[in-house]
Amino acid sequence: MSFWDRIKPSTPAATATDTRLSPDGSRLELTWDDGARSAATAQLLRQQCPCAACVDEWTNQRTLDQTKVPADLRVKQLQQVGNYALTFNFSDGHTTGIYPWKLLREVTQPIS
Ligand SMILES: [Zn+2]
């Protein structure tokens, strides 16, 4: 799947109906409109950042060194973008990633 397939908002994709950040900002939990729930750590979200500073726009190669993202990274703030994506204010100061629901669904792990 290409980078562009992941970032363009596509209509039939699942939508998160609830977004819950843990009190310490280390973990995000999502509830989806189909009833599924999934979660990801702030570290993983940062590693999967789709912004132009982290992924080369032309080659789709990830330029971010994922091993440099510390395990204790936190999400300081999250904000919804329209009805299709979330953005995160990470504790390392990175704020440019826009995470469409489709990407979030892919990178988070299902929980019961
Ligand atoms: Zn980024």
Side-chain angles (χ1 to χ4, degrees), residues 13 31 37 102:
T31 304
R37 292 171 67 221
K102 192 163 184 278

Side-chain angles (χ1 to χ4, degrees), residues 15-20 29-38:
T15 298
T17 54
D18 189 44
T19 58
R20 196 162 301 176
E29 271 188 34
L30 299 171
T31 304
W32 299 92
D33 56 0
D34 61 1
R37 292 171 67 221
S38 64

Side-chain angles (χ1 to χ4, degrees), residues 12-99:
T15 298
T17 54
D18 189 44
T19 58
R20 196 162 301 176
L21 192 61
S22 68
D24 67 356
S26 65
R27 182 180 148 99
L28 173 73
E29 271 188 34
L30 299 171
T31 304
W32 299 92
D33 56 0
D34 61 1
R37 292 171 67 221
S38 64
T41 61
Q43 181 191 29
L44 185 136
L45 291 168
R46 178 67 184 86
Q47 287 170 332
Q48 299 296 328
C49 181
C51 87
C54 297
V55 177
D56 187 292
E57 293 181 66
W58 303 109
T59 63
N60 294 334
Q61 293 295 311
R62 184 163 294 280
T63 49
L64 169 72
D65 183 349
Q66 295 179 314
T67 62
K68 298 259 168 67
V69 179
D72 64 353
L73 193 85
R74 297 290 180 259
V75 173
K76 287 158 67 178
Q77 206 178 356
L78 75 84
Q79 204 171 356
Q80 191 164 330
V81 182
N83 58 3
Y84 73 93
L86 293 179
T87 62
F88 301 102
N89 183 348
F90 289 104
S91 57
D92 64 357
H94 200 69
T95 57
T96 43
I98 295 174
Y99 295 66

